Amino acid sequence: MTLIIGIKCSDGIALGADGAATYVAGGSMLPTIQQNTSKKLRIIGQDMVFGMAGAVGMSQSHHESLQTAIRSTGGKCNYRAQNEAKRKLESLLWANAKDAWDRACIVSRALLQPALDDCEHSTLIACSVGGQAELIQFTGKCSGEYATEELPFVAVGSGQPKADPFLAFVRRILWPDRLPDLSEGVFACLWTLNYVIHADTTINPPVQIVTLRQEAGGCSVQELSAEQLQEHQEHISAREKLLRDGSDAPGPAIPEIEPTT
Amino acid sequence: MATENRDAWTRVALALARGASLTPVQLQKTVFLLQELVPDLVRAERYHFKPYKYGPFTADVYTDAERLAFAGLATLAQDPSGYALYSASAQLVDSTNEYLNGIPAEMREFAERLATWTRQQSFLQLVRAIYERFPAYKVNSVIESQ
């Protein structure tokens, strides 16, 4: 089971993911065991981040195809416009998904709906398009949709039903009429992941946070280290305490050294 | 007196809490404030803090705290909220007390007062007070100062 979050920010894209992989039994899709895997967000080249909720095999195929495509352009996305990027990525992902859907149609004659459910997946790609950081969600049929200023956050995976309302709440409270900046986006990703991990036993740590930062002349990718996430975690705890205790009064100033007489 | 490794600042920051746990922001800011406001407290190399999401930050403080834990001079625990808690061992507290007995009394008293004050602030109070005193570290802040 999976939760991957993407947030469009004023200066880039913030992405977060949980760290558990769930094994399921054959056509029944009944979960069997859960393993804490390492990375659901994959950095591709210098300016693309890929994450997928769905069958691991499909994720591997998409990842490899994206890597090959980006390698052929020197490790950087060379999309010049949104339509071009969407069209090319849809085509690339569909080349993998189509075969799976075709096979599922055949198998579904025997296994019915579960065979088709096995093909369902959702993909998030953050990449540079015309030098701008963009976030695109692709359905199981590989149709793409950009995150916008009006709809800046996306969640995919089994954790989505719990993540979406919490993301909407965070947005309403913290940045109701603007896009967050990248730091705020990271905070929101982490807070949402923390919330869903506590609320859903199938979504588990360790969390992974990756940013695609908008810079002059292009975008750059960074995965945040555990050390960089520590103070964010503490901030989340402080905000929750504030909600509980209801007090945000300023404290005393930093002490001064007293002059010796 | 020879110049010590920078982890002397982390050792003193931990030891001044006398075994009480420090959260990540408390540890970072205690070390920062000791370096800035009591620069003669220890003769040691200094950490290079940079303005990060919640003010002055350097991952080196955590690295050194982890090394101290590995050496048995500190303890690492985990808060249920997911962040680490850092505390000094009795050995570190004792050895630091012995060192502090040899420095001017007013310097020691101020360092202790500073460390106590840091532990008494909430997360937001601490970060905002740092911004008030050291506004240059507010530049990449995630939170607003009051």
Side-chain angles (χ1 to χ4, degrees):
Chain A
M1 307 307 177
T2 289
L3 175 61
I4 301 176
I5 299 166
I7 300 179
K8 182 177 176 67
C9 307
S10 58
D11 52 346
I13 309 293
L15 301 112
D18 78 305
T22 305
Y23 290 71
V24 293
S28 69
M29 297 298 288
L30 287 172
T32 54
I33 60 169
Q34 199 167 64
Q35 296 280 285
N36 284 346
T37 186
S38 54
K39 312 280 185 187
K40 291 187 180 180
L41 292 169
R42 311 295 291 272
I43 295 171
I44 299 176
Q46 298 174 42
D47 54 7
M48 179 181 280
V49 185
F50 157 77
M52 200 202 87
V56 172
M58 183 75 75
S59 177
Q60 290 170 342
S61 299
H62 283 346
H63 181 231
E64 190 178 325
S65 299
L66 288 166
Q67 272 191 317
T68 303
I70 296 302
R71 209 177 289 132
S72 72
T73 56
K76 284 188 146 193
C77 300
N78 67 345
Y79 309 121
R80 287 161 298 184
Q82 286 195 345
N83 278 344
E84 177 202 352
K86 191 160 84 90
R87 204 166 12 91
K88 284 183 175 174
L89 287 167
E90 283 176 344
S91 174
L92 188 149
L93 297 177
W94 183 242
N96 297 320
K98 180 180 183 304
D99 284 346
W101 282 109
D102 286 344
R103 288 194 297 270
C105 284
I106 296 168
V107 173
S108 70
R109 294 171 202 159
L111 295 182
L112 305 177
Q113 188 63 33
L116 299 171
D117 290 343
D118 202 27
C119 290
E120 274 298 347
H121 63 287
S122 296
T123 303
L124 284 188
I125 293 178
C127 63
S128 175
V129 178
Q132 301 292 312
E134 298 286 358
L135 175 64
I136 317 168
Q137 178 188 8
F138 297 87
T139 66
K141 286 73 164 179
C142 302
S143 296
E145 179 180 334
Y146 279 88
T148 62
E149 192 156 338
E150 290 75 29
L151 294 171
F153 60 81
V154 179
V156 298
S158 58
Q160 180 194 355
K162 291 190 171 72
D164 275 350
F166 192 84
L167 281 165
F169 167 73
V170 168
R171 182 190 180 197
R172 182 168 65 85
I173 298 300
L174 296 183
W175 6 280
D177 50 9
R178 61 176 176 87
L179 285 176
D181 64 25
L182 209 48
S183 296
E184 292 170 322
V186 166
F187 176 75
C189 276
L190 199 51
W191 199 4
T192 306
L193 282 162
N194 277 6
Y195 164 71
V196 179
I197 284 169
H198 279 98
D200 187 333
T201 55
T202 65
I203 305 295
N204 286 297
V207 300
Q208 185 190 7
I209 302 288
V210 179
T211 60
L212 178 71
R213 179 178 297 277
Q214 186 80 53
E215 291 167 341
C219 302
S220 66
V221 181
Q222 184 193 15
E223 179 169 344
L224 273 64
S225 66
E227 289 81 11
Q228 288 172 309
L229 293 178
Q230 287 248 65
E231 286 189 334
H232 280 298
Q233 294 281 19
E234 199 179 340
H235 183 199
I236 288 166
S237 186
R239 287 288 178 186
E240 290 174 350
K241 187 173 187 296
L242 204 58
L243 286 171
R244 191 169 58 242
D245 298 343
S247 173
D248 191 20
I254 298 170
E256 299 281 355
I257 190 164
E258 282 154 12
T260 53
T261 52
Chain B
M1 184 176 157
T3 301
E4 289 193 60
N5 184 281
R6 68 183 186 208
D7 74 359
W9 293 104
T10 300
R11 280 187 272 135
V12 170
L14 287 169
L16 286 172
R18 304 194 188 289
S21 296
L22 297 181
T23 67
V25 80
Q26 286 173 339
L27 179 59
Q28 287 278 335
K29 294 354 173 198
T30 302
V31 172
F32 173 77
L33 287 173
L34 288 174
Q35 265 192 195
E36 289 295 316
L37 302 181
V38 204
D40 296 328
L41 183 65
V42 290
R43 194 184 298 268
E45 294 169 18
R46 292 164 61 91
Y47 289 102
H48 296 291
F49 285 91
K50 290 187 178 169
Y52 194 54
K53 311 302 178 189
Y54 305 99
F57 172 86
T58 170
D60 292 337
V61 167
Y62 297 143
T63 305
D64 288 347
E66 285 160 18
R67 283 204 192 110
L68 291 172
F70 189 73
L73 294 173
T75 305
L76 259 57
Q78 187 163 41
D79 187 273
S81 300
Y83 51 83
L85 295 171
Y86 306 86
S87 55
S89 69
Q91 180 188 349
L92 181 58
V93 172
D94 289 345
S95 62
T96 305
N97 270 340
E98 202 175 308
Y99 167 76
L100 292 175
N101 282 339
I103 67 171
E106 59 268 24
M107 190 187 298
R108 174 181 185 155
E109 185 275 336
F110 180 56
E112 288 173 341
R113 203 151 42 90
L114 210 50
T116 301
W117 174 89
T118 305
R119 288 199 310 280
Q120 289 172 341
Q121 309 313 302
S122 71
F123 178 94
L124 293 171
Q125 287 172 338
L126 177 54
V127 174
R128 286 174 176 149
I130 296 278
Y131 291 160
E132 185 68 29
R133 182 73 176 268
F134 303 94
Y137 285 94
K138 200 169 62 171
V139 63
N140 294 319
S141 175
V142 179
I143 63 175
E144 300 288 329
S145 56
Q146 288 184 326

